[in-house]
Amino acid sequence: MHYSAVFMLLSLLLLGACSGGSSTGEGAGTSTVECDGSCADTPTRLTVADVETILAQAIAEAQAQGEQATIAVADRVGNVLAVYRMGAAADRGVLIASATNGAGNAVIDSGLEGISLPATGLALNIDDQAAISKAITGAYLSSEGNAFSSRTASQIVQENFNPGEMNQPAGPLFGVQFSQLSCSDFTVDNVNISHGPKRAPLGLSADPGGLPLYKNGTPVGGIGVIADGLYSIDKVISDSDRSVDEMIAYAGTYQYAAPVDRRGDRITADGKTFRFSDVDFSDLNTDPAAANSYASIAGSVGSLIPVTGYSNGTIRAGLAFGQRESGIRRDSSGFPAATDAFIFVDPSTNINRYPAINAPDGLLTAAQVQVILEEALAVANRARAQIRRPLGSQARVTITVVDTQGDILGMVRSRDAPVFGSDVSVQKARTAAFFSSADAANFLTTQPDASYFDVSSTGLPLVLRESVALGGYVSAVQNFIPDASALTNGAVAFSDRAGGNLSRPTYPDGLQGRPHGPLSKAPGSWSVFSTGLQLDMVYNAVIQHVLSVASGGGVADVTNRCSGVAFDPPTLTFTATGTTNQMANGSQIFPGSVPIYSGNTLIGGIGVSGDGVDQDDMISFLGVHNAGQRLSGAINNAPRAMRADNLTPQGVRLRYVQCPQAPFLDSDVDNVCAGK
């Protein structure tokens, strides 16, 4: 028996799998049962009574803080179970900003920075969307092996890791905030409680106040709170904040808190400890155990509210993750039983949504896609996770294969892989295939401009502030490399690590005084809400959805394609022009993908997302390599001469993949990607 199998067996025996109860632990109500991924087989969900308790505890703390909070609760696959608004809607203005001046105005005038819908005179609010995105973030970033919060997200998406530490590379999940988008063709967008993963209205949130929810060690959802009127990030993590959003959300987690041993502040990456929360139950103004029942306070301080596309204004029960109803279940026939594969299904049919299929362009067969998925999953099952407890756990990931036009040819996931990685794996696969193709430049130059509206507008019509032509990024890349044919001839294979290098606000990554990457905004315009091409490609679609939800459907909602949306602010008109799936759910700019070739011919891409970005790189790269050997060379990784690490823009070599030094649980072999 392999070491990894023995370890899993001992873990189940020692930790008790899903059996056992809970104790008060650190901070009363903290669950101490640790499932180690095995609880996907045991249905556990948030009930209506659970949601009522969570809301009541959060409302009590908000009252004690003297705050008017908006509170959202979601299940693990993103179904919104309740949205509760304290006070009147007119009091709930929210400003999106990564930094503000003394007057409370956004400093950076680019991207989503400075958007505050009430300031436009539209009488619209986004507090509900902010709370929902925070709740979904807490749910999606967490698993039975790790509990992350929106504060954790803030730490890992900024330009330096850790934030504020100069001359350090960007956060390991730099850019992940622009995933789970409302326009994604992968996420599910209906208002009913149904299979997921579901979309998040503002993408993943990096604003403290989003926390995961657990029952007996099993993640069951998340809570999101906004009360301070600022949808932002924590740019200084050397101190300990007293965020009212986080305090109210933390109170809501009483009896549903993450197991202490699984919290982000027990997990490290690059020798640095993640942040989870700057508060604990002892810091609250209330004792959540003494909170009045929801029934006794529900109508006196606020009300449940409907949110177009997300909630019908009632409290609803969540779904049990890992079961057919959730849309993610264990596979019983398509993959070898030993791989413990999980798939995405439509509960009404129980049929795999993304089985291996033939590529429409004829370059990849269903049989080849199946082999790639199996080999990548086999690598993941051997790999040691970076961000999962207990130490020595298997990496849990989602794997996606696409063709040259971004069509999904097949998907599979490990047991208990974090949900956010599902949409992200699709983004990664598409990004690698797109930037390695011969038509990337043509695609970008024919896209509609990103149309920023003037955030200081006081009414209708909205004023167009700036049009950003996506073709400008093409010329920027060509000048930066420099290569006048870049993105036009398919001569260079770009992984997400390579493309991500070019998407950072400094190049090389993190070093002060260096130029910004050609796919990034320049200093003064860059922020986590204004990253560059990544946002500009989907900006119009994101704004369309935000306005649609805020107006209660008065503005037509976006279709399931994030690119190719034209926006005319003065007339508030959106027009869908996209016809391909190349960037249908947006792009991604942190590692975990490689293009797939047959000889020198690009035939697709693979994206992996889950328990560590170096692991993601390795699983995608070795998955293709091992599949190529199994298929007698019919497919392969990019020939070495084509890989982006042959390029030295600005005198600095690009990166292609970075694999962990000694990554396997069943072997001490190292440098596993070298020479391949």
Side-chain angles (χ1 to χ4, degrees):
M1 181 180 292
H2 286 305
Y3 170 79
S4 57
V6 173
F7 183 87
M8 288 182 65
L9 177 60
L10 289 175
S11 297
L12 293 176
L13 292 174
L14 292 173
L15 297 178
C18 295
S19 61
S22 62
S23 65
T24 55
E26 179 183 322
T30 301
S31 173
T32 59
V33 178
E34 299 161 348
C35 293
D36 191 27
S38 58
C39 288
D41 292 332
T42 302
T44 305
R45 74 190 71 216
L46 286 169
T47 66
V48 169
D50 290 330
V51 178
E52 289 179 340
T53 298
I54 292 163
L55 289 176
Q57 293 169 169
I59 291 169
E61 180 65 22
Q63 288 182 292
Q65 294 281 346
E67 298 287 348
Q68 302 276 50
T70 300
I71 307 160
V73 179
D75 70 10
R76 192 176 175 187
V77 292
N79 287 297
V80 177
L81 309 183
V83 182
Y84 190 94
R85 177 184 282 150
M86 300 173 67
D91 300 328
R92 309 302 304 133
V94 173
L95 173 70
I96 298 177
S98 60
T100 60
N101 60 23
N105 300 314
V107 174
I108 296 169
D109 193 22
S110 179
L112 298 178
E113 288 277 353
I115 292 176
S116 179
L117 292 181
T120 68
L122 298 176
L124 306 176
N125 294 280
I126 58 172
D127 58 305
D128 47 3
Q129 297 183 60
I132 289 170
S133 284
K134 289 188 182 189
I136 289 176
T137 300
Y140 277 14
L141 289 181
S142 302
S143 71
E144 289 168 18
N146 72 288
F148 287 174
S149 65
S150 57
R151 182 175 291 278
T152 313
S154 178
Q155 180 185 4
I156 59 182
V157 301
Q158 296 191 47
E159 63 269 41
N160 299 112
F161 181 64
N162 281 318
E165 295 180 10
M166 297 297 101
N167 296 313
Q168 294 296 316
L173 265 63
F174 181 88
V176 77
Q177 65 270 27
F178 294 121
S179 65
Q180 331 306 317
L181 298 176
S182 52
C183 49
S184 170
D185 65 333
F186 171 76
T187 53
V188 180
D189 61 3
N190 60 64
V191 70
N192 299 316
I193 299 294
S194 65
H195 67 288
K198 298 296 184 74
R199 59 188 181 177
L202 298 176
L204 290 183
S205 176
D207 185 24
L211 293 163
L213 298 167
Y214 284 71
K215 290 179 71 173
N216 293 324
T218 301
V220 289
I223 179 174
V225 173
I226 190 158
D228 63 6
L230 187 64
Y231 189 76
S232 186
I233 58 175
D234 181 7
K235 293 190 70 68
V236 180
I237 70 168
S238 58
D239 59 4
S240 182
D241 298 331
R242 287 297 179 267
S243 161
V244 293
D245 294 355
E246 191 167 61
M247 296 182 82
I248 296 166
Y250 207 88
T253 70
Y254 181 80
Q255 302 179 80
Y256 305 92
V260 172
D261 189 51
R262 299 297 195 256
R263 288 177 21 157
D265 52 19
R266 302 298 196 272
I267 298 173
T268 62
D270 294 334
K272 300 173 183 180
T273 303
F274 291 122
R275 301 293 288 273
F276 180 73
S277 172
D278 277 5
V279 301
D280 208 334
F281 292 109
S282 60
D283 299 310
L284 304 181
N285 286 1
T286 60
D287 174 7
N292 292 325
S293 69
Y294 176 80
S296 68
I297 61 173
S300 60
V301 296
S303 62
L304 294 166
I305 60 171
V307 181
T308 300
Y310 292 92
S311 174
N312 64 4
T314 66
I315 295 177
R316 303 177 291 183
L319 301 180
F321 181 78
Q323 306 299 305
R324 169 178 172 173
E325 63 178 359
S326 72
I328 298 173
R329 66 159 174 83
R330 187 173 184 176
D331 176 64
S332 58
S333 60
F335 289 83
T339 61
D340 195 29
F342 277 65
I343 57 176
F344 302 91
V345 298
D346 183 337
S348 63
T349 63
N350 204 24
I351 294 175
N352 188 352
R353 290 171 60 194
Y354 301 105
I357 61 172
N358 294 322
D361 59 16
L363 297 178
L364 271 168
T365 68
Q368 290 170 334
V369 172
Q370 182 67 27
V371 170
I372 296 169
L373 293 174
E374 289 179 4
E375 291 299 325
L377 186 57
V379 175
N381 286 342
R382 296 181 60 204
R384 181 182 296 106
Q386 170 67 53
I387 54 169
R388 180 175 290 270
R389 301 273 291 179
L391 297 178
S393 296
Q394 290 176 315
R396 315 285 191 176
V397 300
T398 302
I399 304 161
T400 301
V401 174
V402 302
D403 68 6
T404 58
Q405 295 303 303
D407 300 306
I408 298 175
L409 303 183
M411 292 185 71
V412 67
R413 50 182 282 124
S414 306
R415 171 186 296 271
D416 191 45
V419 175
F420 86 92
S422 306
D423 185 61
V424 168
S425 72
V426 180
Q427 289 182 318
K428 288 183 179 182
R430 285 172 168 165
T431 303
F434 173 74
F435 281 103
S436 302
S437 71
D439 62 350
N442 180 66
F443 178 92
L444 292 175
T445 55
T446 57
Q447 292 295 295
D449 293 352
S451 298
Y452 300 162
F453 65 85
D454 188 347
V455 297
S456 65
S457 299
T458 58
L460 292 175
L462 294 178
V463 176
L464 176 65
R465 183 180 80 232
E466 179 184 4
S467 291
V468 179
L470 302 192
Y473 289 103
V474 174
S475 56
V477 169
Q478 293 171 344
N479 293 332
F480 191 84
I481 289 180
D483 180 357
S485 63
L487 306 182
T488 66
N489 56 13
V492 178
F494 285 97
S495 63
D496 253 9
R497 187 176 290 274
N501 286 173
L502 299 176
S503 303
R504 302 299 196 262
T506 60
Y507 182 86
D509 187 11
L511 294 185
Q512 289 184 288
R514 297 288 297 182
H516 65 90
L519 300 178
S520 170
K521 291 289 189 183
S525 294
W526 183 91
S527 80
V528 296
F529 298 112
S530 181
T531 55
L533 176 62
Q534 183 195 30
L535 172 64
D536 287 347
M537 191 184 298
V538 302
Y539 173 86
N540 295 345
V542 171
I543 290 297
Q544 181 178 3
H545 181 68
V546 169
L547 291 174
S548 177
V549 175
S551 65
V555 174
D557 202 0
V558 70
T559 62
N560 61 344
R561 183 170 285 114
C562 289
S563 59
V565 175
F567 174 33
D568 180 46
T571 62
L572 212 59
T573 301
F574 296 87
T575 306
T577 65
T579 58
T580 74
N581 290 324
Q582 287 173 289
M583 292 286 103
N585 67 330
S587 63
Q588 201 43 257
I589 54 177
F590 69 94
S593 71
V594 294
I596 304 171
Y597 286 77
S598 177
N600 294 333
T601 301
L602 177 71
I603 59 175
I606 180 173
V608 177
S609 188
D611 285 341
V613 295
D614 290 353
Q615 282 79 357
D616 295 347
D617 259 2
M618 177 186 69
I619 293 164
S620 59
F621 183 76
L622 289 186
V624 174
H625 175 79
N626 294 348
Q629 291 188 320
R630 184 171 156 189
L631 294 167
S632 303
I635 68 165
N636 50 268
N637 275 301
R640 294 181 198 179
M642 295 181 66
R643 296 177 190 172
D645 54 7
N646 289 291
L647 302 177
T648 55
Q650 311 299 306
V652 180
R653 189 171 301 279
L654 275 177
R655 308 285 293 280
Y656 192 68
V657 294
Q658 179 171 308
C659 300
Q661 184 69 17
F664 294 134
L665 293 166
D666 58 359
S667 169
D668 60 0
V669 65
D670 59 7
N671 294 322
V672 296
C673 296
K676 296 182 174 63

